[in-house]
Amino acid sequence: MLQNKKVQLLFFIALVFSIKLTQAQTLLVPDRVFDGMEMHENWVIYVVDNQIEYAGEASKFRVPNEAAKIDLKGMTLMPGLIEGHSHLLLHPYNETEWNDQVLKESPVERAIRGSVAAKASLLAGITSMRDLGAEGAGYTDVYLKKTIDDGIIPGPRLKVAGPAIVATGAYGPKGFHDGVTVPLGAEPVSGIDDAIKAVRRQLGNGASFIKVYADYRWGKGEPSNPTFLQEELNVMVATAKSAGRYVVAHASTPEGMRRAILAGVETIEHGDGGTLEVFKLMKEKGVAFCPTITAGHAIERYKGWRPNINPDPERITKKKKSIQLALEAGVDIIFGGDVGVFAHGENYRELELMVEYGISPIAALQAATLVNAQLLHFENLGQLKKGFLADIIAVKGNPIKDITKMREIEFVMKDGIIL
């Protein structure tokens, strides 16, 4: 009996040892490494299964015999990018207007489009993504996330907002008489009780966080105005926090932004009309800013604007000013372009515009990696550091010297798997 137990123990030890030996081991040898904070020369990254085991100077690392070495000559290795504001269930408005996407494209069609968009994003180096609302497709984003998590389709790690929440009467599509039932782009609520129920319902149905529209256009062609009362915003944030989640706010007017900040949201999306006073309040309250530069830039181009040829439209002028004010106030800035308004996979456009509008290249890359990981709750991501998950990309050249190099993604690894 004792002999049998010894045999079983030896077999178990041998099995564990053999499993250890068969772990995937990869040594990545680029020209340089951006670790999420700064650039390094003569560094290597060693990955075992889906985790980084070493990130540092090549001369201080002894390469295991079992490691598969991948030379990335001429390239910069960096953490996988984290997209902060996406809509996988939308596609560019110059293909199909937003109203027609919501009214005429079924959730099934939009899910298929979303799966294509997820793959395009991943191959463009976006290994993680915050999706800011299904825009009329219910909880399709929740199920898109599930199919990626289950390995059914390729795509980034997702955090999703579900339907998002708007004030009754404030969101579209609009323009129909009161006898027509129109599918809306978000869930409408009014009053404290209704707001609490909506937050709990969305979280219960799988939303990773709650998105609210703190301001919007009440009528066609009108400027945006606040939508929710302070008390309504307060209670939605409190309800989400009690469930261990958080709230983000679409807001572009000073008052809409102010109410959302005071309510305790974690990020302000868009923020075109933000004043220095509002941005200072954001800094004081620890609220981050996702300017979504590329969406407005794309929309103006769809209208016929030619950058660097025509004068800047008002939308562009306001966006540039808002970023300068945010920088002056010292607000944390998130990388997130509102992709879906423009083509999925072209996320690099946001980085290029961030730099064009006054953000340094290294700060833009930090926003897309370390900063977004910390602010958007992506744990063990955003840095090339021992113990972190192996979401790693490589680009040609040095993107700190030339941010357009972010268009040239040559290598993508997600969760230790090379794509």
Side-chain angles (χ1 to χ4, degrees):
M1 184 71 175
L2 182 60
Q3 186 66 26
N4 287 340
K5 286 186 177 180
K6 286 182 178 179
V7 170
Q8 290 172 359
L9 179 59
L10 288 170
F11 175 76
F12 176 74
I13 291 171
L15 180 62
V16 170
F17 187 65
S18 68
I19 290 171
K20 185 71 174 176
L21 286 178
T22 58
Q23 288 180 311
Q25 301 176 57
T26 307
L27 182 70
L28 303 174
V29 186
D31 274 16
R32 66 197 67 81
V33 171
F34 174 71
D35 66 357
M37 296 182 66
E38 56 186 340
M39 193 71 80
H40 304 274
E41 302 285 340
N42 302 313
W43 266 38
V44 295
I45 306 296
Y46 176 56
V47 174
V48 177
D49 282 348
N50 70 336
Q51 188 167 296
I52 298 169
E53 289 295 329
Y54 180 82
E57 295 178 28
S59 61
K60 295 181 179 179
F61 182 68
R62 182 178 177 183
V63 182
N65 292 332
E66 301 82 12
K69 181 180 176 182
I70 299 178
D71 283 313
L72 298 165
K73 190 170 180 57
M75 298 185 197
T76 298
L77 207 63
M78 59 189 298
L81 303 181
I82 301 173
E83 169 63 56
H85 190 127
S86 176
H87 294 280
L88 285 171
L89 300 173
L90 292 176
H91 57 101
Y93 294 177
N94 64 335
E95 296 175 1
T96 307
E97 292 183 0
W98 181 85
N99 273 19
D100 286 345
Q101 291 188 46
V102 174
L103 294 172
K104 298 179 181 179
E105 294 178 358
S106 75
V108 175
E109 177 186 346
R110 296 181 69 189
I112 294 169
R113 287 182 179 275
S115 66
V116 174
K119 181 179 180 181
S121 301
L122 184 59
L123 294 180
I126 305 297
T127 56
S128 299
M129 176 183 288
R130 188 179 65 158
D131 196 271
L132 268 286
E135 301 289 328
Y139 292 91
T140 303
D141 57 346
V142 171
Y143 298 107
L144 189 60
K145 170 179 163 42
K146 182 179 184 299
T147 56
I148 293 171
D149 291 345
D150 291 347
I152 297 170
I153 63 170
R157 304 170 189 272
L158 289 182
K159 293 184 184 294
V160 298
I165 298 175
V166 293
T168 301
Y171 206 52
K174 289 187 174 182
F176 302 88
H177 69 73
D178 60 0
V180 177
T181 301
V182 180
L184 297 178
E187 181 176 356
V189 304
S190 280
I192 288 175
D193 290 345
D194 209 12
I196 292 172
K197 288 178 184 177
V199 170
R200 289 175 175 165
R201 179 167 49 249
Q202 292 196 8
L203 294 179
N205 283 333
S208 310
F209 58 93
I210 295 297
K211 177 187 178 183
V212 300
Y213 284 78
D215 51 32
Y216 209 74
R217 300 175 297 274
W218 287 95
K220 186 176 181 180
E222 294 182 7
S224 289
N225 277 295
T227 51
F228 288 112
L229 301 176
Q230 187 69 61
E231 295 79 8
E232 292 173 312
L233 288 169
N234 291 350
V235 77
M236 285 190 281
V237 172
T239 303
K241 284 186 175 180
S242 72
R245 308 294 175 84
Y246 61 96
V247 178
V248 307
H250 166 117
S252 292
T253 64
E255 180 60 17
M257 293 172 70
R258 189 188 70 83
R259 292 183 193 180
I261 295 161
L262 292 177
V265 304
E266 292 201 359
T267 67
I268 294 290
E269 311 297 312
H270 313 303
D272 294 35
T275 62
L276 183 58
E277 180 185 12
V278 168
F279 283 117
K280 284 181 176 179
L281 182 63
M282 287 176 66
K283 176 65 176 178
E284 177 189 336
K285 299 294 184 181
V287 178
F289 177 40
C290 186
T292 63
I293 306 168
T294 313
H297 194 272
I299 288 170
E300 292 301 326
R301 288 177 62 184
Y302 299 156
K303 294 177 181 177
W305 173 60
R306 294 175 298 171
N308 303 317
I309 297 175
N310 303 132
D312 286 347
E314 182 184 4
R315 183 200 298 263
I316 302 300
T317 301
K318 289 176 70 175
K319 184 68 76 179
K320 288 179 177 179
K321 182 179 179 182
S322 71
I323 288 173
Q324 289 305 312
L325 292 175
L327 289 171
E328 183 179 343
V331 173
D332 287 323
I333 295 179
I334 290 169
F335 161 70
D338 209 351
V339 59
V341 175
F342 61 100
H344 294 280
E346 295 184 3
N347 310 67
Y348 58 80
R349 291 168 59 179
E350 184 73 8
L351 289 169
E352 292 177 11
L353 288 170
M354 289 172 79
V355 172
E356 182 181 328
Y357 287 17
I359 298 169
S360 71
I362 194 165
L365 294 178
Q366 289 167 344
T369 54
L370 170 66
V371 172
N372 271 11
Q374 293 177 342
L375 295 179
L376 308 183
H377 305 275
F378 285 97
E379 296 181 0
N380 294 323
L381 291 168
Q383 296 182 69
L384 300 185
K385 182 177 179 181
K386 179 178 171 58
F388 277 54
L389 293 172
D391 283 15
I392 305 170
I393 65 172
V395 301
K396 284 186 176 180
N398 186 341
I400 288 179
K401 292 183 177 179
D402 180 2
I403 197 66
T404 66
K405 294 297 182 183
M406 294 305 298
R407 298 179 178 215
E408 302 179 60
I409 306 296
E410 295 291 321
F411 174 91
V412 178
M413 172 185 281
K414 179 195 170 192
D415 209 32
I417 298 172
I418 299 170
L419 301 167

